[in-house]
Amino acid sequence: EIQQAVGSAEVGLGYTGNILFDRLVGSSVYTCTPGEYGRVGSQQLVSRLCAHLEEQSDQKVYPIPVGGSNGMGTWGYLDGVEELLSQWNSIASTPSLDHVLFACGSGGTAAGIAMGMALACEKDTSATAPEVHAMGVCDSPDYFYNHVAGIAGEMGLRLSGDGVSLEEYFRQHMTAHQSKGLGYAAST
C-alpha cells in the first residue's frame, strides 16, 4: 500500500539531511518500512509509486532510484572529477593526490568517481591515478562492483578489445570496502 508521510509527527522524520531539503522544496514524502524495503526492493517500490502517481494525475513520472544512482544521475560525478582535478592541478605546489575516499550506499558516486578518475588518467598519460576507495555502508563489495558496472553500462561505457568486463574494469580502478557501521547518521 502506498502511504504518504504528511508530517513529522506521524513518521518521526524530523528536519535533517535530505528530509530537510525535501521539506524546503515542498516535496511529497512517501515512506516504507525497513522490512518492506528488504522484501520488495527499492526498484520495485519506486516503480509502484510511479504507477500510483501516474494513475492519480495522468502525468508521466520519471523514476529516480535510491541515491539518484543510475546512468543519468552519475554523469554529474564525471564533471565533479574534472573539476576536482582542475582545482587540484591549479595549486602552485601541487602535492600528489594519492587516495580518494567516499561513502558508497547506492553506487552512483562510486561509478562516477572511479570512472572519472580512470578516464582522466587515461587521457593524461603523465598523470598517476589516485587509488579510489568506495566505503560501502551497506551490501557487499561484490554487490557494488556488479552494480557500478551496471550503472556504467547504462551510461554507455564500452571497453575496446581487451576482453575485460565492466565489472573487472571497476575492480581494477576502485577498491570497494565493507564499512557498514551502526546505521545511517549513527556514529560508530
Side-chain angles (χ1 to χ4, degrees):
E1 178 180 328
I2 306 287
Q3 294 184 10
Q4 182 177 1
V6 179
S8 62
E10 293 95 302
V11 292
L13 296 176
Y15 293 91
T16 61
N18 290 342
I19 296 297
L20 174 60
F21 180 75
D22 291 338
R23 291 177 189 278
L24 288 171
V25 298
S27 297
S28 296
V29 177
Y30 295 84
T31 63
C32 68
T33 66
E36 184 179 21
Y37 186 88
R39 268 189 327 280
V40 178
S42 65
Q43 288 182 333
Q44 184 63 18
L45 288 168
V46 169
S47 294
R48 287 180 186 177
L49 180 57
C50 287
H52 171 78
L53 293 172
E54 286 177 353
E55 194 175 280
Q56 287 190 332
S57 69
D58 287 333
Q59 293 181 342
K60 182 69 178 152
V61 177
Y62 178 78
I64 299 174
V66 171
S69 294
N70 62 8
M72 178 68 75
T74 301
W75 279 105
Y77 285 101
L78 295 177
D79 289 338
V81 166
E82 183 177 31
E83 182 177 339
L84 169 70
L85 293 175
S86 173
Q87 290 178 13
W88 189 266
N89 292 329
S90 72
I91 299 171
S93 60
T94 305
S96 62
L97 178 59
D98 299 319
H99 299 271
V100 176
L101 290 82
F102 48 86
C104 179
S106 56
T109 301
I113 291 178
M115 191 179 348
M117 287 294 179
L119 293 173
C121 291
E122 285 175 13
K123 181 179 169 185
D124 179 2
T125 56
S126 68
T128 301
E131 292 183 38
V132 175
H133 301 273
M135 311 307 287
V137 300
C138 58
D139 298 305
S140 69
D142 286 338
Y143 167 84
F144 284 115
Y145 289 122
N146 179 271
H147 188 65
V148 164
I151 293 171
E154 185 181 334
M155 294 175 73
L157 179 64
R158 302 290 180 263
L159 304 175
S160 58
D162 55 8
V164 173
S165 69
L166 286 177
E167 184 173 332
E168 185 56 35
Y169 176 85
F170 280 97
R171 288 180 182 273
Q172 293 171 6
H173 294 287
M174 173 184 83
T175 302
H177 302 270
Q178 179 53 266
S179 304
K180 189 189 306 188
L182 294 177
Y184 185 74
S187 297
T188 55

